[in-house]
């Protein structure tokens, strides 16, 4: 079975380490916050000016001055800090954020990412995505392996306008976990019941398969 | 020196057709609601607006778009606005999209008296087209110029007659940066307090950057995505 969105988030959460400062993008990445392993402390950064994002507020306790980058009402946690947008991107640019998790429309085998614009469609803008991918130390992409038409989103070259180049380090899809290496996508893990052949057939870019590929366990 | 004005109408009195404005806020959080309402009432047109977002159909900058007062938007993200999309596709509105950190830092540069900055955001993408690229320590950076505006319109939580400002929570966002980048900066505040009441250690924007300040009223503070925790 392919992973659900929650399982993709759950798998990415296993990459978190104690003391990490993490920026989670909109969509599946946001769900990662629900699966932070117990016993470690992770501080979530929101690019609109908050370190230490807490859970959603209880109904009736929402505060219009306290939102995340997805414009959702949130809360703070003990130890939270507010700052302006320049400092927010300053800490991102300076490499202080340990991990960035974001969605993508396409990723190339070199680690290029496209996630902001589809020619011919209304373009909403890149928001903070270009700043994040240009500077983050470690970028994990969370996405479906194929688009709604069934076409691979893991390509030799991106066809859509780029958000950043040679920046993605790891991809977790509904079918697999892959690292971006010098030589292409390296398959690390398979979704339960998904064969290496199926992953190969749905990966347009160069796929490296070495030895036995283990199945993810949830 | 008297920076205190009566209301938004008086504060924006000198803004004219064709001016370049900066408007603080992220989404609808921390936007200068009173100044926007006054601009809509006055009907000034052909404005260039530098703001991270463009409001929603019936609030924020969306109110100015509806009255076709904006000629050009410079933003990082402009979703959630159908009228914006219609004007963009019909060619009535010009849009320049720039990375959010670049937008923030170009305002910061203006306020710090620096003509330009280098940032890696957008290298290798269409954002880099026509821009000077320089390599530092093996990594490419784009030259981006400081942003200046005829007027910066910002919203703060507390302010005093000297123009010192304190923002609240994530309503800070672009406000202190734009406050530094306006030739004339107008601040609207939820609480205008007497001189001496704000602790100098906790000022976010020193009054030197602020030219006009007024006590705002009737803040709606609309929430875009009201999200709750399930309480079991």
């Amino acid at each position: 079975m392919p992973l659900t969105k929650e399982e993709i988030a759950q798998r990415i959460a296993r990459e978190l380490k104690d003391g990490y400062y993490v920026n989670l993008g909109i969509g599946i990445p946001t769900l990662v916050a629900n699966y932070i392993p117990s016993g470690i402390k992770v501080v979530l950064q929101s690019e609109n000016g908050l370190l230490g994002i807490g859970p959603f507020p209880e109904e009736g306790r929402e505060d219009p001055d306290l939102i995340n980058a997805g414009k959702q009402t949130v809360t703070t946690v003990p130890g939270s800090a507010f700052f302006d947008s320049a400092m927010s991107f300053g800490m991102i640019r300076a490499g202080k954020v340990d991990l960035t998790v974001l969605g993508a429309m396409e990723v190339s085998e070199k680690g290029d990412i496209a996630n902001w614009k589809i020619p011919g469609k209304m373009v909403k803008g890149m928001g903070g995505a270009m700043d994040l991918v240009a500077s983050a130390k470690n970028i994990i992409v969370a996405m479906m392996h194929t688009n709604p038409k069934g076409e691979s989103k893991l390509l030799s070259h991106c066809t859509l306008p780029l958000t950043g180049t040679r920046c993605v380090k790891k991809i977790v899809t509904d079918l697999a976990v892959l690292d971006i290496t010098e030589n292409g996508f390296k398959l690390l893990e398979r979704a339960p019941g998904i064969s290496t052949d199926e992953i190969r057939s749905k990966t347009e870019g160069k796929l490296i398969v070495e030895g036995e590929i283990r199945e993810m366990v949830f | 020196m008297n920076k205190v004005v009566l209301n938004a109408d008086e504060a924006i009195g000198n803004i004219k057709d064709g001016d370049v404005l900066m408007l603080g806020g992220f989404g609808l959080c921390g936007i200068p609601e009173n100044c926007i309402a006054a601009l809509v009432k006055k009907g000034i047109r052909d404005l260039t607006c530098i703001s991270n977002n463009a409001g929603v159909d019936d609030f924020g900058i969306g109110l100015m778009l509806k009255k076709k007062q904006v000629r050009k938007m410079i933003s990082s993200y402009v979703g959630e606005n159908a009228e914006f999309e219609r004007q963009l596709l019909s060619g009535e509105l010009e849009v320049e999209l720039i990375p959010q950190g670049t937008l923030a830092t170009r305002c910061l540069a203006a306020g710090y008296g620096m003509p330009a900055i280098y940032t890696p955001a957008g290298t290798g993408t269409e954002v880099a087209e026509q821009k000077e690229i320089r390599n530092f320590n093996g990594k490419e950076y784009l030259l981006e110029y400081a942003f200046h505006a005829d007027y910066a319109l910002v919203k703060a939580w507390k302010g005093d007659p000297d123009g010192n400002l304190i923002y609240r929570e994530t309503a800070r966002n672009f406000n202190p940066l734009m406050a530094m980048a306006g030739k004339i900066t107008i601040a609207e505040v939820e609480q205008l307090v007497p001189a001496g009441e704000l602790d100098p250690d906790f000022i976010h924007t020193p009054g030197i950057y602020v030219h006009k300040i007024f006590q705002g009223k009737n803040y709606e503070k609309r929430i875009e995505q009201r999200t709750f925790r399930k309480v079991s």
Side-chain angles (χ1 to χ4, degrees):
Chain A
M1 285 286 288
L3 303 189
T4 62
K5 289 178 180 178
E6 281 74 19
E7 285 168 331
I8 293 174
Q10 209 175 335
R11 175 61 192 83
I12 290 171
R14 293 177 192 164
E15 303 293 320
L16 301 173
K17 293 191 174 72
D18 187 41
Y20 262 22
Y21 288 92
V22 180
N23 182 290
L24 300 175
I26 294 162
I28 300 173
T30 306
L31 301 172
V32 174
N34 299 332
Y35 299 102
I36 297 169
S38 57
I40 70 168
K41 176 165 175 167
V42 168
V43 180
L44 301 176
Q45 199 252 17
S46 192
E47 61 264 31
N48 57 319
L50 169 60
L51 266 173
I53 310 174
F56 293 142
E58 289 175 17
E59 193 160 2
R61 303 289 298 270
E62 68 273 19
D63 179 347
D65 288 337
L66 183 45
I67 63 169
N68 64 15
K71 289 140 192 163
Q72 298 170 311
T73 45
V74 292
T75 56
T76 54
V77 293
S80 286
F82 296 115
F83 36 86
D84 66 52
S85 301
M87 183 176 281
S88 180
F89 285 96
M91 61 184 72
I92 289 165
R93 214 179 288 119
K96 305 293 181 188
V97 175
D98 299 286
L99 175 65
T100 292
V101 183
L102 73 178
M105 299 174 196
E106 294 177 346
V107 176
S108 84
E109 64 192 32
K110 303 272 187 240
D112 298 347
I113 178 170
N115 73 350
W116 77 284
K117 182 177 186 180
I118 301 175
K121 288 205 177 169
M122 166 69 186
V123 179
K124 292 185 171 183
M126 66 291 279
M130 284 191 182
D131 306 272
L132 280 159
V133 301
S135 299
K137 277 190 284 193
N138 188 8
I139 298 174
I140 300 179
V141 163
M143 67 177 189
M144 295 295 131
H145 211 93
T146 58
N147 66 22
K149 288 187 216 159
E151 297 159 343
S152 180
K153 294 170 72 169
L154 289 80
L155 307 172
S156 49
H157 299 281
C158 291
T159 62
L160 295 169
L162 294 177
T163 309
T165 59
R166 294 175 181 264
C167 53
V168 178
K169 301 283 193 292
K170 190 183 281 293
I171 308 170
V172 178
T173 74
D174 52 335
L175 304 183
V177 179
L178 311 99
D179 267 352
I180 306 273
T181 68
E182 286 292 299
N183 304 312
F185 299 110
K186 183 171 182 195
L187 183 59
L188 301 178
E189 296 172 29
R190 298 177 288 122
I194 301 295
S195 68
T196 300
D197 281 347
E198 179 172 350
I199 294 163
R200 189 179 279 115
S201 73
K202 290 179 175 171
T203 305
E204 189 269 337
K206 189 176 175 199
L207 185 73
I208 303 159
V209 182
E210 284 171 2
E212 196 67 17
I213 305 300
R214 67 176 182 274
E215 250 184 28
M216 286 177 251
V217 179
F218 290 93
Chain B
M1 181 171 74
N2 183 23
K3 297 183 179 185
V4 179
V5 295
L6 192 60
N7 54 31
D9 295 327
E10 188 184 339
I12 65 138
N14 294 328
I15 299 180
K16 57 186 192 304
D17 290 353
D19 277 348
V20 177
L21 309 185
M22 282 180 181
L23 297 101
F26 181 94
L28 300 178
C29 182
I31 60 172
E33 293 183 23
N34 283 206
C35 282
I36 290 170
L39 286 167
V40 169
K41 192 165 85 178
K42 200 176 176 202
I44 307 157
R45 298 173 68 92
D46 290 323
L47 297 169
T48 294
C49 292
I50 302 170
S51 182
N52 189 54
N53 311 95
V56 294
D57 274 322
D58 59 350
F59 203 57
I61 294 174
L63 297 170
M64 295 163 66
L65 288 163
K66 198 182 270 179
K67 286 192 69 183
K68 301 188 179 161
Q69 294 174 271
V70 184
R71 184 181 56 79
K72 183 176 182 182
M73 271 310 306
I74 301 175
S75 302
S76 86
Y77 188 83
V78 293
E80 357 298 352
N81 193 322
E83 175 62 15
F84 183 98
E85 186 167 348
R86 192 197 64 73
Q87 289 184 22
L88 180 61
L89 295 174
S90 71
E92 294 164 64
L93 178 68
E94 193 187 333
V95 178
E96 186 180 337
L97 293 168
I98 60 177
Q100 194 175 139
T102 301
L103 173 56
T105 314
R106 287 174 70 181
C107 296
L108 177 97
Y112 276 41
M114 300 184 295
I117 53 144
Y118 283 103
T119 176
T123 48
T125 77
E126 63 185 51
V127 167
E129 286 167 16
Q130 320 282 324
K131 287 187 181 144
E132 184 183 319
I133 297 170
R134 187 157 163 189
N135 192 303
F136 294 95
N137 305 317
K139 183 167 172 163
E140 286 190 342
Y141 294 78
L142 304 181
L143 182 75
E144 298 275 10
Y145 293 100
F147 257 140
H148 295 278
D150 296 310
Y151 291 87
L153 312 178
V154 303
K155 153 82 196 312
W157 180 37
K158 293 182 179 181
D160 70 15
D162 290 294
N164 296 306
L165 303 176
I166 294 176
Y167 309 90
R168 184 169 178 271
E169 300 178 338
T170 57
R172 191 183 318 184
N173 56 63
F174 286 86
N175 283 300
L177 308 164
M178 291 180 169
M180 294 192 296
K183 283 180 205 149
I184 300 288
T185 291
I186 299 169
E188 55 175 272
V189 295
E190 287 180 56
Q191 297 174 37
L192 183 61
V193 303
E197 202 157 296
L198 301 179
D199 184 338
D201 262 336
F202 291 90
I203 303 293
H204 295 136
T205 295
I208 193 168
Y209 288 114
V210 176
H211 304 86
K212 295 181 186 186
I213 185 166
F214 67 95
Q215 166 74 57
K217 61 178 185 189
N218 302 330
Y219 282 105
E220 196 175 327
K221 293 197 174 187
R222 208 183 281 189
I223 292 172
E224 272 184 81
Q225 307 278 340
R226 199 176 287 271
T227 40
F228 303 118
R229 176 186 344 175
K230 287 191 197 87
V231 183
S232 51

